Amino acid sequence: MPPSGTSANSSGSARRSPPRSSGLFRALDVLEDHPETWPEWPGVSHSPPIRRFLVWDFPFALPFMVLEDRIVVLAVAHLRRKPGYWLQRAESVKSSPSR
């Protein structure tokens, strides 16, 4: 069994996860409540639209898509490094079945 605050992945190794009170999890909770209210990512034309959630007090954003049965976060994207590196993930998500 992994130590407290960690989870085992499919390879059996443990990975640390942030506490539920962390800024990222609070952001995900807010995003989940009303995903359609967040603006589309500027300069990106995609169907379904890729929306942008800015993380408070940090230079990060969550590019995400709202699908019929789920919300898919494509990345935790640093706003000043490698812009758009996550775009190709949108195509693979669009073509993959729901899990």
Side-chain angles (χ1 to χ4, degrees):
M1 174 177 279
S4 176
T6 62
S7 62
N9 62 25
S10 60
S11 66
S13 63
R15 130 182 108 81
R16 186 162 280 299
S17 58
R20 262 321 262 189
S21 62
S22 77
L24 180 57
F25 279 114
R26 284 192 325 251
L28 292 172
D29 288 341
V30 169
L31 187 152
E32 183 179 39
D33 288 342
H34 302 286
E36 302 279 345
T37 62
W38 302 101
E40 292 183 20
W41 196 281
V44 174
S45 176
H46 192 273
S47 180
I50 297 173
R51 298 184 178 279
R52 178 177 72 172
F53 182 91
L54 295 174
V55 180
W56 309 283
D57 299 326
F58 296 97
F60 290 94
L62 305 177
F64 69 96
M65 298 186 316
V66 179
L67 304 179
E68 289 179 19
D69 60 339
R70 60 195 164 134
I71 298 169
V72 178
V73 175
L74 300 170
V76 177
H78 194 286
L79 295 173
R80 296 183 189 114
R81 298 186 184 161
K82 297 184 184 178
Y85 75 90
W86 44 265
L87 277 169
Q88 66 186 20
R89 295 177 186 173
E91 291 306 313
S92 64
V93 168
K94 198 165 99 172
S95 63
S96 71
S98 177
R99 291 181 193 177

